[in-house]
Amino acid sequence: MPAQAYAGKECVCQFRKGICDQSCVRDMLETPFYIACLKLTGRRCVVIGGGDIGLEKVEGLLACDGEVTLIAPDAIEPLRELAAEGSIRWEEREYAGPADLEGVFMVIAATSDTDVNIRVYEDAEQRAMLVNVVDVPPLCNFILPAIFRSGPLAIAISTAGASPALAKRIKAEIAGAYGEPYARLAELLNEVRGWAKGTLPTYQDRKVFFEAIVNGDPDPVELLRQGDEQSVRDLIAAAQRSATPAAA
């Protein structure tokens, strides 16, 4: 159960029940989230709150090339350093309202002020924009899964908010099972995507071509684990030579 939504605690969501009765998260595990990968390059993203959680969200957005503005009257030293070096823009003040969201693609609120969080959510919803208030599910229209990254490979793990600790454990296990060999294979396969699109006329042709490499014998992942990249390149070249378009 999210830390800010449990029975007996002061209500922190837009339902303003006084004392939380968990009704706002009762159906959380049944919510069918639509999983998507967002392209943030050049898009304006706002983080409200200058503490440790704000830093975590800022770093995640920067890792995806988001154009980040921090709104907070104060900020911890790592955030100050990011602002000083020009990696983010810091508005050293409180959240001012709808004007702060003009032209913004996504907003993440990481404050301990319930009223501010509710205002951010309601202002964002009126603009049909992405909003996440950290650890308050009813004040979110998207959630942030745990992400394992290795090169172009990204694997998202979500427990629908039920247990971030479990998501982190799964992330660590995925990092051990997958990682650099898979990421490198993705890069090598990407090198021949242009050839495949120009040579193999249908989706089915291209599907057969790439699956024959990925699921072939010898296993390209095992070859990469052994440091034998040249053999993988040879496999890809052989697949190119033998590839034939499906009959019309």
Side-chain angles (χ1 to χ4, degrees), residues 11-139:
C11 179
V12 295
C13 76
Q14 72 271 41
F15 300 116
R16 298 181 185 273
K17 293 200 170 185
I19 300 299
C20 178
D21 63 2
Q22 294 185 321
S23 60
C24 62
V25 294
R26 220 161 262 158
D27 298 326
M28 185 173 63
L29 297 184
E30 285 73 45
T31 300
F33 287 100
Y34 183 78
I35 304 299
C37 296
L38 302 177
K39 182 179 179 180
L40 297 185
T41 302
R43 293 186 182 274
R44 292 183 59 200
C45 304
V46 169
V47 174
I48 301 169
D52 290 332
I53 297 176
L55 173 63
E56 175 189 329
K57 304 310 176 186
V58 165
E59 290 179 333
L61 294 170
L62 289 177
C64 297
D65 295 326
E67 185 181 306
V68 181
T69 296
L70 173 70
I71 298 176
D74 196 10
I76 60 176
E77 188 58 30
L79 285 169
R80 290 174 176 270
E81 292 174 359
L82 289 172
E85 70 187 28
S87 294
I88 65 173
R89 177 183 176 186
W90 179 21
E91 297 282 344
E92 198 171 341
R93 58 176 174 78
E94 300 283 356
Y95 174 69
D100 284 338
L101 304 183
E102 290 301 323
V104 172
F105 178 69
M106 173 191 300
V107 59
I108 298 175
T111 85
S112 57
D113 189 318
T114 297
D115 290 334
V116 169
N117 291 339
I118 292 173
R119 285 175 59 209
V120 171
Y121 172 77
E122 292 178 344
D123 292 343
E125 278 285 280
Q126 288 176 5
R127 284 158 179 72
M129 60 181 287
L130 295 171
V131 56
N132 178 284
V133 175
V134 177
D135 217 13
V136 189
L139 296 181

